[in-house]
Each structure stands twice: as structure tokens, then as C-alpha cells.
Amino acid sequence: MFKVDRRRMLKNIMLTAVAGASVGQVRPGSAARQQQKGPCKLALEDYQPRSMLHVPETKVLRSRFPAIDFHTHLSWSNRRGSRNELHNNATPAEVLPVMDRKNVRIMVNLTGGYGDVLQETIRYWQSPNPDRFIVFTEPWYEKIREPRYPQFQADQIAWARKIGARGVKILKTLGLYLREQVTTGPLVKIDDPRFDPMWDAAGSLGMPVGIHISDPEAFFLATDRFNERYEELNAHPDWSFHGKDFPSDRELQEARNRVIERHFRTQFVALHVGNSENLPYVSQLLDRYPNMHVEIGARIGELGRQPRQSAKFFDKYQDRIMFGTDAVPGGYDTPQQIFGDPLYEIYYRFLETEDEYFDYAPAPKPPQGRWRIYGLGLPEKILRKVYYENAERLLKL
Ligand SMILES: [Zn+2]
């Protein structure tokens, strides 16, 4: 692209020089026209600047210590008509060789679903490879209208544990999509008391709750020229929670905090660092709630552009931070999540090296925002905990 443009520009300069006599003649796209009308316009989506910095590039093929990827989506439960169906994003035979190459000992498949789908997910991933795959369950939200839902949901968690699920996953469905009549009516709050028996069940069964609520702060602002995620929101307009009846980012965070406070015997893992753009806020919460932990999936773009604050955060909370990637095999519309060697290499480079100003996603353009990141160069003691030991303890391995 750059080469072609450069060649065309040179050709235009040549033509202008040759036709030097024909003063005043304007050829469309020619250098003469550029001189007359100022710089040419370039569409934002076509802009792919390349860094001219001469800085070290370290290739980290394997993590320094074996890793547990705490945040992956090897499968989804897809709604088809009146029932849910398991949709696998890959096969174990496709995933295991990548894990071996990248030193990933265990992958946690958070989106295991519930009921029949959960059973199938466990049978497909976890049962044949119990040392490599762990499956979490999800709430059966469609039943929320039923009067006995609170106890039903708690019983489902107990049943899920019995058939092998190791934790509970909460998608941002809770707080941003689930409504009183499932898809219509007012939004159901994260701290709705109907879920209290479920949180308690998870706690008493030793199942950690991986909870994703809210999203980057820019998703709650207008998608306009001031929005730092303008291109990402343009590519995924349904990720915008600006306006309508959506709660603010802070309201969602505080509803989750009330749940963590109320269910202090349950271990909560705030996925995506909880609020990776506001580490002072997350630090306050970690200080306040001993049953809260965080995971870093899909947020190295945020952590890596505030490397000094992030390094202090990793140092102070080294026993409460978990490695995760939010990997989706074949997730091509979200380059920052495509499962494969390049994804892990970027995370390892971020955590282990002091490299500067590199891409946070394997993509020609930074997909979440126009910035690059800096490595943290974490010491071995912290790496060991973040890669493996913190998750090992929480999952009771
Ligand atoms: Zn995820």
C-alpha cells in the first residue's frame, strides 16, 4: 500500500516536471493539484501508520512458567428456536497442540452453558482431558419469570458442580441485556435479590464466579469524534451502551460491588480487570473486598498504555491477578481475541519483556483503539503467581 502510493507520488512529480511548461493545468490527483488545494484527505479506516522507532523486539514463544488461561470461549451455547445447542469453536485436537507450544497447561472454558448443553460441553472438553480443560456453568436466565427461580438457580449450580463444572460465569447479559420478561421490560439489576441463593451456592460449593459486567468507559459515551474507541464501536455498533435505558458504567460497577460485599464467602473474579481504565478504583475495591480477584483478558491494550501504574498494580495485588486472554478460536471479528500462537506471544511479551510501543493485537490496525503498548517486565515471582498459582488456588487444583 505504502509502496504503491509512494510510486504514484513519484510518478506525479515526474509528470509535473516533464510538463513543466503547462503551468495552470490541473490534473486530478496530481502533485500540482495537491500543491494548490493543500494535503489530500485520507479516510481514517485507510490509515495504517508504521512505527519508525528503533526499539528491541523480543519474541516470547513460550511463557516463562506454565500458564492457566482463566478466560476462554472454546464453546458457546447458541439459542436455536426453543432450545439451546452447543456450538464448539474448535476441537480439542486443534487446541491442544497450540497449548503445548505456548506452555498453557489448562484452559478454562467459561461459557459452558447450563442443562443439557453444559453436560455436553463437559463431555466434549473436560472429561477426555481433565488435566487440560475446565468448564464453568452459566445461569439459566430464561427461567427468571418463574416464581421458584431463586431456588431453582441455586439447585442448578449444585447440579452443575456434581456433573463436573468448576465455577460460574456471568456475562454482561446481567445488567445490560436481561430484562424482566427476558427480552422486554425493565433491565434486571446485577444485585437483584433473586440471584442471592445462586451466589451463596457458588460460595458454599467452592466455585469461583467469573463476572464480566460493564465494559470500556467509552462504550457508554456517544460514538463521535471524541470517542477513543470510535472505530471499534463503528465496527460493533451493538457494543454501544450510550443512552436508551442503560445504566452508567459506575452504576453497574457499584451493583456488582454490593453483590461481592453481601456474599463475602463467595470468591469473585472480576474479568477484564473489572475496570482496566481506572486502576485506582479497582485498587480501592481489592483493598475493600478480600473475596475479589481480577483477570486481565482482552485488556492488555489498557494495562499496556499505562505501564508504570500497571506495574505497581501487579506488584501490590500479585496474589489476586490471573492470566487470561478471552481467546475465541476463529473469533475473526475481534482480532484481540483470536486463539492461536500470535495471541499468546503478545501477552507473554507484555508481561515478561520491557519492549516498547508494540501492537496489543495480531491485526494490521489496533482493533480496540489507536494506541500501542509497553511491556511490564514482571519479576519471576509475580509471573509464577499470575500465570498459574493464583488460579490454581482459586480452582482448588
Ligand atoms: Zn470473554
Side-chain angles (χ1 to χ4, degrees):
M1 181 95 174
F2 176 72
K3 257 188 192 149
V4 172
D5 287 345
R6 192 158 171 270
R7 207 179 296 139
R8 191 185 299 149
M9 196 180 79
L10 284 171
K11 199 175 141 201
N12 283 339
I13 291 170
M14 294 289 284
L15 284 170
T16 317
V18 169
S22 57
V23 180
Q25 254 188 11
V26 178
R27 229 174 268 107
S30 71
R33 176 173 158 267
Q34 283 186 18
Q35 261 175 11
Q36 281 193 353
K37 298 202 172 169
C40 69
K41 297 254 184 192
L42 173 68
L44 180 56
E45 71 229 45
D46 294 331
Y47 187 49
Q48 293 184 21
R50 289 165 189 187
S51 169
M52 295 293 116
L53 287 183
H54 294 247
V55 286
E57 281 181 43
T58 316
K59 198 116 174 105
V60 188
L61 295 174
R62 289 170 67 78
S63 52
R64 183 97 46 99
F65 302 103
I68 296 175
D69 188 339
F70 195 85
H71 188 162
T72 76
H73 302 286
L74 299 173
S75 67
W76 306 110
S77 63
N78 279 0
R79 190 145 261 292
R80 298 245 190 286
S82 60
R83 61 182 291 263
N84 270 348
E85 278 175 11
L86 170 63
H87 174 82
N88 284 311
N89 293 320
T91 65
E94 289 166 334
V95 172
L96 284 163
V98 179
M99 293 171 69
D100 291 341
R101 279 200 298 277
K102 297 294 118 187
N103 207 14
V104 177
R105 185 86 40 97
I106 297 170
M107 282 180 85
V108 180
N109 180 21
L110 292 177
T111 33
Y114 51 80
D116 292 350
V117 168
L118 175 67
Q119 207 153 19
E120 243 180 291
T121 311
I122 291 172
R123 213 179 289 142
Y124 188 78
W125 291 100
Q126 191 174 293
S127 306
N129 310 281
D131 302 331
R132 308 305 299 277
F133 299 114
I134 283 175
V135 171
F136 275 30
T137 185
E138 296 170 274
W140 197 325
Y141 291 126
E142 287 89 346
K143 299 243 185 216
I144 186 127
R145 280 177 298 177
E146 296 180 10
R148 291 175 190 279
Y149 178 75
Q151 191 53 45
F152 167 83
Q153 187 53 69
D155 294 344
Q156 283 294 306
I157 299 296
W159 175 79
R161 181 71 197 91
K162 216 161 93 192
I163 66 162
R166 306 292 286 268
V168 181
K169 164 74 196 268
I170 305 298
L171 289 166
K172 61 187 170 184
T173 310
L174 185 57
L176 286 167
Y177 295 100
L178 179 66
R179 292 172 183 275
E180 278 303 328
Q181 282 79 46
V182 185
T183 53
T184 58
L187 285 161
V188 175
K189 300 251 190 305
I190 294 164
D191 58 338
D192 188 296
R194 282 171 287 184
F195 297 109
D196 282 342
M198 171 179 84
W199 308 124
D200 282 340
S204 61
L205 293 161
M207 298 166 85
V209 177
I211 183 164
H212 171 191
I213 57 103
S214 192
D215 254 334
E217 292 188 19
F219 286 13
F220 295 81
L221 304 173
T223 307
D224 60 16
R225 66 196 170 114
F226 301 112
N227 194 308
E228 70 170 355
R229 290 172 182 266
Y230 176 80
E231 286 173 290
E232 186 182 29
L233 285 165
N234 248 347
H236 307 274
D238 55 317
W239 290 1
S240 171
F241 301 113
H242 174 62
K244 296 188 196 149
D245 62 343
F246 292 120
S248 69
D249 167 60
R250 191 45 74 95
E251 282 169 323
L252 293 164
Q253 302 275 348
E254 285 179 356
R256 180 216 42 219
N257 298 347
R258 287 192 290 275
V259 170
I260 295 177
E261 182 158 16
R262 212 149 71 203
H263 304 277
F264 53 87
R265 288 195 186 87
T266 306
Q267 302 302 316
F268 290 88
V269 181
L271 303 170
H272 309 300
V273 203
N275 183 350
S276 53
E277 293 141 323
N278 194 345
L279 293 180
Y281 179 63
V282 179
S283 303
Q284 272 175 25
L285 303 183
L286 286 166
D287 291 341
R288 200 180 310 152
Y289 309 123
N291 57 328
M292 178 180 170
H293 317 259
V294 297
E295 173 275 340
I296 63 170
R299 291 297 180 276
I300 57 171
E302 271 53 64
L303 298 173
R305 59 177 163 141
Q306 43 177 332
R308 285 180 284 275
Q309 188 154 238
S310 290
K312 283 183 202 139
F313 183 79
F314 272 83
D315 184 58
K316 182 152 186 216
Y317 302 103
Q318 54 184 274
D319 297 310
R320 322 252 304 264
I321 303 173
M322 267 160 291
F323 171 72
T325 59
D326 206 359
V328 182
Y332 297 112
D333 61 334
T334 48
Q336 68 277 13
Q337 289 174 256
I338 302 171
F339 172 77
D341 295 68
L343 184 72
Y344 286 101
E345 287 167 23
I346 292 172
Y347 275 77
Y348 300 162
R349 190 180 181 194
F350 165 65
L351 293 169
E352 297 184 21
T353 80
E354 291 185 343
D355 282 6
E356 297 184 284
Y357 200 65
F358 56 92
D359 285 319
Y360 58 78
K365 275 184 291 176
Q368 294 172 284
R370 292 277 184 162
W371 47 80
R372 289 190 167 88
I373 63 169
Y374 304 82
L376 299 184
L378 294 174
E380 292 199 341
K381 187 182 92 172
I382 297 183
L383 287 174
R384 214 180 254 127
K385 292 177 178 181
V386 170
Y387 275 138
Y388 200 89
E389 290 172 0
N390 294 341
E392 180 189 35
R393 192 170 59 245
L394 212 59
L395 293 164
K396 304 186 193 312
L397 300 179

